[in-house]
Amino acid sequence: MAGRYAPRATRTSVRGGRLAIPAQKTSPPGRAAEAAPARVRDWTPPWPLDLRLTLGPLRRGPGDPCFHAAPDGSVWRTARTPAGPGALRVAAHAGTVRAEAWGPGADWLLDALPALLGEADDPSAFTPRHRLLAVTERRRPGLRLTRTGLVLAELIPSILEQKVTTDEAYRAWRLLVRKYGEVAPGPHGGRLYVVPEPRTWALVPSWEWHRAGVDAKRSSTILRAVRVAGRLEEAAAMPPPQARERLELIPGIGPWTSAETVQRSNGAPDEVSVGDYHLPGIVGHALADRRQADDDEMLALLEPYVGQRHRAARLILLSGRTPPRRAPRMTPGDIAAL
């Protein structure tokens, strides 16, 4: 029997045993997956809706393997739902939204469609007290705060974005999902992937994190999170403050990461990304011409919008009023080259 079978790749980082390394899943979607008919749902929101504006925060960079904005105006999104992997295509025409979904998670995605497009959001609770916000809100009537109902899918890329440039984080997300995720169901030509299962994340070897440019601190935080994935997913049904408390029980998850997560998973209109590198300066410049504002100053400026501070910050970002650059862009690091 010697030499008949190729040796299996293993890792020995777990005490007392050997774990198989998850195989790379790069095969194109099967004919059955492409030929399977889509589940369809038509839904008419009772408000003006801008699809790309509402779903834009779910996109992690221009090459996100889980999100695609098509030239025809439709938006594709994949997700690992409680029912299994699924792909969703959403398009709007004449005030009606048509959603098509494929895969075991299709029904779950269609049921969650109204929440995803902002049904639970209430823009009327926001009262602009600065001219900039009033003008931006009037120019963006289709803005709604999305709610995915999926915590881990929003938490992991937020952890990858800790303390690095967005380009570095987007690259890591793209490489890891394409290597360890699975090709999404549906007729998208094999360009979309579904995020890996929690167990698959736990089995990613240390050198693959290194090749993706993810340091040990961030990878360890992700590993701690996926071990309690079930408990974290429960946070999607909690009020945002309680959801953040549960997330921050994990060492390595702080206020910035928990806020970035619940903004998307829970549709939280008041959770501010305290600790962000750029946001305090942008808010300070827009509302008080204070580009050197810190977190305390930012929160003081947003005090009139308590209950809607995330929406206020989002409108400021959409206004385009950002401080001019005074220095070159930060040079991205490359720990994979070490």
Side-chain angles (χ1 to χ4, degrees):
M1 301 295 291
R4 180 170 296 183
Y5 301 104
R8 294 179 61 189
T10 59
R11 58 178 285 193
T12 58
S13 60
V14 176
R15 182 182 300 175
R18 297 165 67 85
L19 293 177
I21 299 173
Q24 182 176 351
K25 301 175 182 178
T26 57
S27 57
R31 294 182 179 177
E34 289 192 356
R39 306 297 298 272
V40 180
R41 177 179 182 179
D42 290 331
W43 181 64
T44 303
W47 60 79
L49 177 66
D50 187 321
L51 273 181
R52 298 199 178 193
L53 200 61
T54 298
L55 299 180
L58 303 181
R59 185 184 191 183
R60 306 289 183 160
D64 189 348
C66 303
F67 188 101
H68 174 62
D72 62 0
S74 63
V75 174
W76 286 79
R77 178 176 177 269
T78 70
R80 184 169 297 281
T81 74
L88 179 71
R89 178 184 180 272
V90 186
H93 179 69
T96 298
V97 174
R98 164 155 289 201
E100 303 170 273
W102 294 264
D107 289 337
W108 191 96
L109 289 171
L110 293 180
D111 291 340
L113 178 69
L116 184 71
L117 299 182
E119 183 184 46
D121 187 27
D122 182 16
S124 65
F126 178 77
T127 302
R129 302 182 184 276
H130 294 82
R131 183 177 182 276
L132 176 70
L133 295 181
V135 171
T136 307
E137 184 188 35
R138 186 169 62 251
R139 290 177 176 175
R140 307 280 187 169
L143 172 64
R144 290 273 165 163
L145 300 184
T146 184
R147 179 174 184 170
T148 66
L150 299 171
V151 174
L152 203 65
E154 314 306 334
L155 175 63
I156 291 177
S158 297
I159 294 173
L160 293 176
E161 293 172 9
Q162 293 176 349
K163 306 296 184 181
V164 297
T165 65
T166 53
D167 288 344
E168 292 175 271
Y170 291 159
R171 174 182 177 272
W173 173 249
R174 184 170 62 250
L175 293 177
L176 291 168
V177 172
R178 285 180 177 171
K179 186 160 189 175
Y180 294 106
E182 59 188 274
V183 178
H188 50 78
R191 67 183 301 165
L192 293 176
Y193 289 73
V194 180
V195 295
E197 298 178 356
R199 176 172 172 78
T200 303
W201 283 114
L203 296 180
V204 174
S206 59
W207 57 87
E208 292 295 349
W209 293 108
H210 188 82
R211 287 174 180 171
V214 182
D215 55 42
K217 182 177 180 180
R218 287 179 290 154
S219 62
S220 298
T221 301
I222 292 174
L223 295 180
R224 285 190 289 266
V226 297
R227 292 189 186 109
V228 291
R231 295 286 289 167
L232 294 183
E233 290 295 347
E234 295 174 0
M238 297 178 178
Q242 284 74 23
R244 292 187 61 181
E245 288 179 4
R246 175 162 294 193
L247 293 178
E248 291 175 20
L249 291 174
I250 306 296
I253 297 178
W256 182 89
T257 306
S258 65
E260 288 284 313
T261 301
V262 301
Q263 287 168 7
R264 297 168 173 86
S265 63
N266 295 50
D270 192 48
E271 303 304 323
V272 187
S273 300
V274 175
D276 192 89
Y277 186 78
H278 298 287
L279 187 60
I282 293 174
V283 173
H285 175 75
L287 300 184
D289 199 23
R290 281 276 302 152
R291 63 174 297 151
Q292 302 300 330
D294 56 16
D295 284 328
D296 291 337
E297 291 179 84
M298 176 182 69
L299 293 176
L301 290 170
L302 293 176
E303 182 68 23
Y305 304 104
V306 169
Q308 296 285 317
R309 290 177 298 178
H310 169 52
R311 188 189 307 279
R314 182 85 192 281
L315 289 171
I316 291 171
L317 293 172
L318 291 172
S319 73
R321 184 176 172 82
T322 57
R325 295 185 181 276
R326 294 184 177 176
R329 290 178 178 269
M330 181 184 296
T331 303
D334 185 10
I335 69 169
L338 297 179

